[in-house]
């Protein structure tokens, strides 16, 4: 609902303005002075546990009530208006004039604060308060309204008021180590505008604390608040952090945890909840109710009928049900995450299955999943017997997942006795010709079953493109029969089927996680296998550009690794089907059992490995003897300007060869190894 002139208000005004009421009283009327046909009112707050009106203290019951002196503006379809004031017991007309029952039924609109309603009724612009630095001031910013159709009655009309703003809470989660123990922030301000060209609005928040760790800052922002940021001062330096570009949902509370660094502010966690949570929330401190793992909430798509904006675990689970049951087709579907999703460690199932997976059939995802730089937290999949396990089961051609972080505990449990692969990854089990861009996985990805393709981000990448993806999760083999594991992708393959001819490209992808291996499977820091295509034995089908691995490949404690092959970057079964441009390995290879080598040596241009990272180099990193600028380096040499240039030159060579997949990332010298800009 807009905050300025409202259609209903304007319509009432056009009907002729005020109609004379009963004689005006100089003070609150006695009972015997109240006209028989007077409209009496009571009011309460529909979501009583929000604590914005009675901050910072109060019981749950108290927080559902109005305060003495609060005023509500009421107008009717019979062209009357009045402002009612709460005296602590009853609501009485501020000017002594009651609204009157003139018809057998009437429609009422009520507004808090009264000024909001009055301005709208008079066709004047209402300016939402930006100074919310006290309990009294933030109360005046707590916009509420309600409409009521009512037959004539002698009983008091009850207005259950509903909030029309969004609450933003920023908590100072802590300071980086470069700050002293008594560090604090000052001059905290919130900023927004209703569109990109509009003037900036600056808010002074309600503050609790002295600016040290644990301090909170709370504001209420209107429906049109977009381009939301926060600024503060620390050590005399002004710093700014983006909160949300698009508009918030009214009636929701967003809690941001902010870590203060020397160079930037980092949002480490965002929690979204209804204000109707069961906990008392005094003064901006949030103790928010967690999702129960079962409740679902339907989502209405945008006008196109194919775009779903997801802001809670309840909504995600509902969408999973609809897709798994094929109620909502995924072809052309767009899913936008508008907030972080915290699943709270409840058991989930992949998007593309039904919960019980009774048939074993999987629905492939053919749409777009836009994370919008949000995080999926507490994702747990450890009990289901799904053949393809991840946040999404399978990505099909033309699908896209981008700008998403997943924090997960995923374990594959499917007993695979067929020729089909079992695939496990943080983002998706399989991607068949899809695009995965700017995605990060943290946590654990594991399996204790056989014939598994398992990767931190994707289990099996059958053709398509992975761009700027990173893995921090441990990829853990719990069985000696695990087949192929990789830091970013278990296997990078080649989609060559009727109607499709899709080589694989992995660009600017990094593995930081540990690969814990056992048995005789293949393992690689980026991918455990770069599969070749028997139909095109002389064609390049898998290309790796600006990729590196700094995670270790180690043997699970107490286990034995006889590894058919292991490599710091990728295992390449074919000499001709795989190429690497501007890549390096700085992680160690397993030393227990056979350290493993690539079955074949792919072509390399500007591909290096630390000489102290592994034995049996360069074969163990999979570098062709005929490659350009490839080989072993000491740690200092690996990070030298000459090596960095060689890798960047290799990236340029790739761009000239494959301009359609040009890589924009470049290496620069880092503390211990080169890093991507």
């Amino acid at each position: 609902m807009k905050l300025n002139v409202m259609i209903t208000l304007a319509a009432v005004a056009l009907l002729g303005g005020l109609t004379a009421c009963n004689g005006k009283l100089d003070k609150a009327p006695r009972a015997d002075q109240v006209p028989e046909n007077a409209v009496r009112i009571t009011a309460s707050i529909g979501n009583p546990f929000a604590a914005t009106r009675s901050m910072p203290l109060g019981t749950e019951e108290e927080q559902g009530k109005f305060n003495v002196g609060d005023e509500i503006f009421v107008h009717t379809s019979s062209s009357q208006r009045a402002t009612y004031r709460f005296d602590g017991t009853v609501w009485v007309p501020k000017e002594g004039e009651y609204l009157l029952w003139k018809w057998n039924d009437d429609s009422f609109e009520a507004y808090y604060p009264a000024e909001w309603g009055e301005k709208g009724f008079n066709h004047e612009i209402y300016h939402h308060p930006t100074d919310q630095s006290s309990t009294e001031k933030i109360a005046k910013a707590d916009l509420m309204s309600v409409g009521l159709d009512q037959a004539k009655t002698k009983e008091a009309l009850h207005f259950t008021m509903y909030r029309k703003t969004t609450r933003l809470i920023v908590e100072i989660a802590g300071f980086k180590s470069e700050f002293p123990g008594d560090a604090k922030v000052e001059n905290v301000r919130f900023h927004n505008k209703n569109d990109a060209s509009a003037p900036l609005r600056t808010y002074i928040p309600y503050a609790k604390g002295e600016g040290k760790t644990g301090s909170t800052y709370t504001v209420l922002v209107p429906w049109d608040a977009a381009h939301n940021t926060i600024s503060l001062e620390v050590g005399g330096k002004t710093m700014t952090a983006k909160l949300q570009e698009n508009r918030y949902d009214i009636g929701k509370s967003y809690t941001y945890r902010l870590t203060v660094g020397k160079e930037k502010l980092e949002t480490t966690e965002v929690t979204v909840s209804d204000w109707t949570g069961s906990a008392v929330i005094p003064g901006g401190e949030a103790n928010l109710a967690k999702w129960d793992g079962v409740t679902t909430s339907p989502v209405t798509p945008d006008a196109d009928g194919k775009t779903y904006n997801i802001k809670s675990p309840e909504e995600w689970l509902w969408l999973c049900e609809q897709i798994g049951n094929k109620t909502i087709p995924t072809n052309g579907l767009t899913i936008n995450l508008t907030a972080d999703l915290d699943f709270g460690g409840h058991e989930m199932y992949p998007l593309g299955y039904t919960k019980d997976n009774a048939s074993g059939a999987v629905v492939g995802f053919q749409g777009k999943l836009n994370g919008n730089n949000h995080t999926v937290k507490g994702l747990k999949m450890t009990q289901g017997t799904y053949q393809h396990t991840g946040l999404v089961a399978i990505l099909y051609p033309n699908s896209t997942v981008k700008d998403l972080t997943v924090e997960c505990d995923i374990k594959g449990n499917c007993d695979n006795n067929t020729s089909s692969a079992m695939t496990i990854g943080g983002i998706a089990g399989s991607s068949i010709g899809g695009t995965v861009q700017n995605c990060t996985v943290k946590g654990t990805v594991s399996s204790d079953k056989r014939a598994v393709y398992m990767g931190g981000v994707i289990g099996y990448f059958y053709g398509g493109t992975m761009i700027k993806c990173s893995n921090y999760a441990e990829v853990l083999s719990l069985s000696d029969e695990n087949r192929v594991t990789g830091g970013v992708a278990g296997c990078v393959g080649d989609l060559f089927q009727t109607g499709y001819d899709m080589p694989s490209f992995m660009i600017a992808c990094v593995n930081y996680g540990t690969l814990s291996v056992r048995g005789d499977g293949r393992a690689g820091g980026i991918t455990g296998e770069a599969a070749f295509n028997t139909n095109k034995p002389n064609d390049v089908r898998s290309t790796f550009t600006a990729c590196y691995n700094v995670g270790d490949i180690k043997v699970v404690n107490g286990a034995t690794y006889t590894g058919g092959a292991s490599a710091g970057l990728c295992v390449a079964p074919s000499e001709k089907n795989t190429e690497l441009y501007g890549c390096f390995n700085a992680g160690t290879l397993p030393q227990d059992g056979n350290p493993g080598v690539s079955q074949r040596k792919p072509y390399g241009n500007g591909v290096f490995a630390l000489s102290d990272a592994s034995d049996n180099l360069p074969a163990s990193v999979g570098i062709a003897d005929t490659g350009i600028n490839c080989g072993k380096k000491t740690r200092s040499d690996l990070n030298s300007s000459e090596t960095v240039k060689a890798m960047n030159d290799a990236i340029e060579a790739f761009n000239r060869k494959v301009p359609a997949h040009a890589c924009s990332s470049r290496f620069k010298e880092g503390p211990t190894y080169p890093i991507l800009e």
Side-chain angles (χ1 to χ4, degrees):
M1 182 181 67
K2 294 187 176 181
L3 303 185
N4 28 26
V5 180
M6 308 194 62
I7 295 176
T8 53
L9 294 174
V12 172
L14 291 172
L15 289 175
L18 295 179
T19 303
C21 300
N22 65 297
K24 186 174 181 178
L25 301 171
D26 294 330
K27 57 183 180 179
R30 303 189 308 269
D32 61 355
Q33 294 178 305
V34 179
E36 184 177 354
N37 62 337
V39 176
R40 301 173 176 87
I41 76 167
T42 64
S44 64
I45 304 171
N47 36 2
F49 308 124
T52 53
R53 296 225 53 270
S54 56
M55 282 198 306
L57 303 174
T59 65
E60 294 183 3
E61 181 182 2
E62 291 169 340
Q63 293 180 47
K65 298 178 180 179
F66 282 91
N67 297 327
V68 174
D70 283 339
E71 297 177 355
I72 294 176
F73 177 85
V74 184
H75 73 82
T76 75
S77 59
S78 60
S79 306
Q80 303 178 71
R81 67 176 180 180
T83 297
Y84 286 74
R85 174 180 288 173
F86 187 53
D87 68 3
T89 303
V90 296
W91 292 85
V92 296
K94 178 181 178 181
E95 302 295 333
E97 291 183 358
Y98 278 91
L99 299 175
L100 302 177
W101 286 107
K102 302 178 69 177
W103 301 337
N104 288 329
D105 55 65
D106 212 338
S107 296
F108 301 83
E109 296 275 353
Y111 301 88
Y112 175 90
E115 182 187 2
W116 178 29
E118 291 170 354
K119 290 279 189 181
F121 193 92
N122 293 322
H123 306 282
E124 300 174 5
I125 296 176
Y126 175 78
H127 296 286
H128 187 243
T130 55
D131 183 355
Q132 303 178 17
S133 57
S134 67
T135 55
E136 294 77 18
K137 290 177 179 179
I138 199 170
K140 294 297 184 184
D142 192 10
L143 305 182
M144 292 180 278
S145 70
V146 70
L148 182 66
D149 296 325
Q150 180 65 50
K152 186 177 180 179
T153 178
K154 292 184 179 181
E155 301 296 324
L157 303 184
H158 184 75
F159 292 109
T160 303
M161 308 292 286
Y162 292 95
R163 291 186 162 89
K164 302 300 179 181
T165 57
T166 300
R167 184 173 66 175
L168 306 182
I169 303 170
V170 168
E171 177 186 354
I172 305 302
F175 296 80
K176 292 292 184 68
S177 58
E178 57 263 32
F179 290 98
D182 60 348
K184 65 178 183 179
V185 301
E186 298 177 312
N187 296 325
V188 177
R189 298 290 186 268
F190 290 74
H191 313 275
N192 63 50
K193 53 178 81 176
N194 57 17
D195 61 60
S197 60
L200 193 68
R201 299 178 294 209
T202 297
Y203 297 75
I204 306 174
Y206 176 88
K208 184 176 183 183
E210 300 178 349
K212 299 180 179 180
T213 299
S215 299
T216 58
Y217 301 86
T218 304
V219 294
L220 309 182
V221 299
W223 73 277
D224 63 349
H227 306 278
N228 298 273
T229 60
I230 186 172
S231 66
L232 53 82
E233 293 181 11
V234 57
K237 180 180 180 181
T238 300
M239 307 179 73
T240 301
K242 180 187 289 186
L243 299 181
Q244 182 163 305
E245 187 73 17
N246 55 317
R247 297 172 180 177
Y248 293 99
D249 293 323
I250 61 173
K252 295 286 188 179
S253 180
Y254 295 74
T255 301
Y256 292 85
R257 288 175 55 82
L258 206 66
T259 298
V260 182
K262 185 177 181 180
E263 301 299 329
K264 64 178 180 178
L265 305 176
E266 297 180 4
T267 301
T268 57
E269 182 180 7
V270 183
T271 304
V272 185
S273 74
D274 291 321
W275 288 6
T276 52
S278 61
V280 177
I281 307 175
E285 291 183 347
N287 182 17
L288 304 173
K290 301 295 184 180
W291 180 51
D292 59 9
V294 178
T295 303
T296 63
S297 180
V299 183
T300 302
D302 288 354
D304 62 4
K306 294 184 176 181
T307 300
Y308 289 81
N309 300 306
I310 303 298
K311 60 182 179 295
S312 67
E314 295 93 328
E315 293 181 347
W316 177 270
L317 186 58
W318 176 85
L319 189 62
C320 281
E321 291 179 351
Q322 309 312 305
I323 291 174
N325 292 325
K326 300 182 181 181
T327 305
I328 296 177
T330 68
N331 189 15
L333 181 70
T334 297
I335 303 172
N336 290 317
L337 298 191
T338 61
D340 291 354
L341 305 183
D342 189 350
F343 293 110
H346 296 289
E347 280 290 334
M348 298 290 294
Y349 58 94
L351 181 72
Y353 283 102
T354 58
K355 183 178 182 179
D356 58 5
N357 191 31
S359 67
V362 61
V363 178
F365 184 74
Q366 295 177 274
K368 295 179 172 62
L369 172 55
N370 300 321
N372 295 308
N373 297 311
H374 290 296
T375 299
V376 172
K377 306 174 184 178
L379 178 66
K380 185 177 182 181
M381 297 178 182
T382 62
Q383 297 179 7
T385 56
Y386 310 103
Q387 186 175 345
H388 307 284
T389 307
L391 180 68
V392 183
I394 296 181
L395 302 172
Y396 279 167
N398 303 316
S399 64
T400 300
V401 179
K402 67 177 183 178
D403 303 331
L404 179 64
T405 297
V406 172
E407 299 173 1
C408 63
D409 178 10
I410 294 177
K411 178 173 176 283
N413 294 305
C414 180
D415 281 314
N416 185 17
N417 296 313
T418 70
S419 59
S420 300
M422 185 178 107
T423 64
I424 310 166
I427 296 295
S430 296
S431 178
I432 304 176
T435 298
V436 184
Q437 181 175 345
N438 193 33
C439 290
T440 299
V441 177
K442 303 177 181 180
T444 303
V445 177
S446 67
S447 176
D448 62 356
K449 305 302 180 182
R450 63 182 295 272
V452 171
Y453 290 87
M454 182 168 57
V457 181
I458 302 290
Y460 203 134
F461 196 76
Y462 299 86
T465 306
M466 296 182 70
I467 308 172
K468 295 183 178 179
C469 292
S470 56
N471 175 61
Y472 294 84
E474 180 183 15
V475 183
L476 175 61
S477 295
L478 300 173
S479 168
D480 288 345
E481 295 181 311
N482 287 174
R483 185 175 178 183
V484 180
T485 59
V488 179
C491 183
V492 176
D494 174 319
L495 181 60
F496 187 71
Q497 300 176 359
T498 303
Y500 299 108
D501 185 0
M502 295 184 181
S504 299
F505 294 89
M506 188 176 286
I507 300 171
C509 293
V510 185
N511 177 57
Y512 300 96
T514 298
L515 272 68
S516 297
V517 298
R518 61 192 298 160
D520 60 356
R522 295 189 288 277
I526 297 298
T527 182
E529 181 177 347
F532 66 100
N533 191 304
T534 56
N535 295 313
K536 293 189 174 184
N538 297 315
D539 288 2
V540 178
R541 308 301 292 178
S542 299
T543 304
F544 302 83
T545 303
C547 297
Y548 66 89
N549 170 62
V550 295
D552 294 332
I553 304 175
K554 68 177 186 178
V555 179
V556 176
N557 288 338
T560 300
Y561 180 63
T562 60
S566 64
L569 292 171
C570 71
V571 177
S574 170
E575 295 177 341
K576 298 179 179 180
N577 285 162
T578 304
E579 292 185 347
L580 293 85
Y581 295 86
C583 301
F584 73 87
N585 170 53
T588 62
L589 297 179
Q591 302 303 308
D592 293 336
N594 186 344
V597 298
S598 286
Q599 292 176 312
R600 301 288 188 275
K601 300 175 183 178
Y603 170 82
N605 185 341
V607 182
F608 302 94
L610 283 178
S611 59
D612 62 349
S614 172
D615 296 334
N616 199 21
L617 293 172
S620 62
V621 76
I623 302 170
D625 295 334
T626 57
I628 303 171
N629 291 321
C630 299
K632 296 183 288 186
K633 295 284 185 180
T634 64
R635 191 167 292 275
S636 59
D637 286 342
L638 178 63
N639 200 38
S640 68
S641 58
E642 293 80 5
T643 304
V644 170
K645 183 179 184 303
M647 289 189 293
N648 288 335
D649 287 346
I651 295 171
E652 294 295 344
F654 166 78
N655 289 346
R656 291 191 297 270
K657 182 179 179 181
V658 192
H661 293 274
C663 175
S664 61
S665 298
R666 296 294 181 272
F667 285 100
K668 66 178 181 179
E669 296 177 40
T672 57
Y673 50 78
I675 58 176
L676 287 170
E677 295 183 292

